Amino acid sequence: MSGSNSKPFTVLVEGNIGSGKTTFLEHFQQFEDITLLTEPVEEWRNLRGWNLLDLMYKDPVKWAMPFQSYVTMTMLDMHRRPTATPVKLMERSLFSARYCFVEHMMRNGTLHPAQFAVLDEWFRFIHREIPIDVDLIVYLKTTPLVVHERIKKRARSEEQCVPLSYIEELHKLHEDWLVNRTFAECPAPVLMIDADLDLSQITEEYKKSEHQILRRAV
Ligand code: DCP
């Protein structure tokens, strides 16, 4: 296929840290109709040689603001990236950055109210001025204890000190945003997937979402 598709069917993959978003995207590598945009974690780990993710975990009061501000930029880049395929599958979004991570950092005081206000104004400005198309959200729902174990096992160096309480709070924010709909706007219908299952069983679960994502009989 050639050229760029200005209005692909756009799917966001959301869920707690360690919920298997990358594995979910990898499952869809087999389909040629899809462009996969994995989260730019590597860019966050190496901005001109600086590991912003590590700085943020080591000294959140100082680094949460620049980290989230860079996340906003890299996410906007992904939302705007043209694709040559009819379907675009994105890992995370501007929405989870704002409604889960920034929200949490504001509520627990990591972000000064003035820092929060700047990030929130950026979010509102982008939302108002730039079309961000979303057609479906895949929510990989997990239990905090399960993902906490996975995070410890995968041993990403920056995440070694992530406490269970942080994972629980992020879980609540995802639930409030995507299931309970209590505080934030949900930009598209939500398809919920049980992502507690381990790797040997999860493929069957992923398969259930194929027809909704590809919008054809598979
Ligand atoms: N992160 C953050 N703020 C954001 C987005 C991510 O602080 N707005 C952090 C949390 C994690 C790391 O970045 O330490 C990557 O988190 P994700 O949950 O986005 O990605 P994972 O790699 O954990 O996804 P999965 O394991 O589901 O594939």
Side-chain angles (χ1 to χ4, degrees):
M1 212 169 303
S2 63
S4 79
N5 188 337
S6 62
K7 281 245 180 232
F9 185 75
T10 302
V11 183
L12 308 180
V13 183
E14 302 283 4
N16 212 335
I17 303 174
S19 56
K21 295 178 290 299
T22 306
T23 319
F24 184 87
L25 261 80
E26 281 165 2
H27 174 80
F28 285 87
Q29 260 168 8
Q30 57 183 304
F31 302 106
E32 56 179 23
D33 280 358
I34 301 193
T35 299
L36 304 176
L37 295 180
T38 49
E39 189 174 52
V41 186
E42 288 318 311
E43 290 174 40
W44 309 340
R45 294 173 108 180
N46 183 5
L47 172 62
R48 303 185 189 178
W50 300 104
N51 185 338
L52 281 182
L53 184 67
D54 195 46
L55 290 166
M56 192 258 311
Y57 275 118
K58 287 208 170 110
D59 188 352
V61 171
K62 181 168 178 185
W63 289 100
M65 164 77 183
F67 176 77
Q68 291 302 338
S69 143
Y70 190 53
V71 168
T72 303
M73 202 210 85
T74 56
M75 282 297 167
L76 180 58
D77 176 45
M78 280 169 67
H79 282 290
R80 285 169 48 83
R81 208 168 299 167
T83 59
T85 57
V87 182
K88 173 174 171 178
L89 197 56
M90 258 184 77
E91 183 174 0
R92 285 218 183 277
S93 63
L94 276 170
F95 299 101
S96 52
R98 167 62 188 86
Y99 297 144
C100 301
F101 289 93
V102 170
E103 183 72 16
H104 170 73
M105 289 164 175
M106 179 271 286
R107 290 186 191 183
N108 79 351
T110 301
L111 288 174
H112 185 284
Q115 293 178 321
F116 170 73
V118 173
L119 290 171
D120 193 43
E121 286 299 322
W122 264 115
F123 177 78
R124 287 165 189 244
F125 173 78
I126 291 167
H127 206 11
R128 200 171 56 234
E129 302 293 334
I130 304 173
I132 305 289
D133 295 322
V134 187
D135 298 290
L136 180 70
I137 297 179
V138 173
Y139 173 35
L140 301 181
K141 187 183 170 95
T142 50
T143 307
L145 250 182
V146 171
V147 285
H148 194 241
E149 284 306 310
R150 279 188 205 155
I151 294 167
K152 283 195 280 186
K153 255 196 226 149
R154 84 173 167 199
R156 192 183 267 160
S157 59
E158 297 87 350
E159 294 171 349
Q160 283 322 288
C161 310
V162 171
L164 178 60
S165 57
Y166 181 53
I167 298 301
E168 284 171 340
E169 280 152 27
L170 281 178
H171 172 73
K172 273 191 221 126
L173 285 162
H174 279 85
E175 289 280 303
D176 284 347
W177 171 39
L178 298 172
V179 182
N180 307 322
R181 316 271 171 110
T182 46
F183 81 98
E185 157 233 13
C186 187
V190 176
L191 171 66
M192 197 152 72
I193 288 184
D194 176 2
D196 272 349
L197 300 169
D198 64 32
L199 266 180
S200 59
Q201 296 168 303
I202 200 81
T203 310
E204 280 313 302
E205 196 62 26
Y206 288 172
K207 279 198 165 119
K208 292 182 195 162
S209 65
E210 285 174 6
H211 70 283
Q212 280 202 51
I213 290 177
L214 299 161
R215 290 172 309 147
R216 59 175 159 83
V218 281

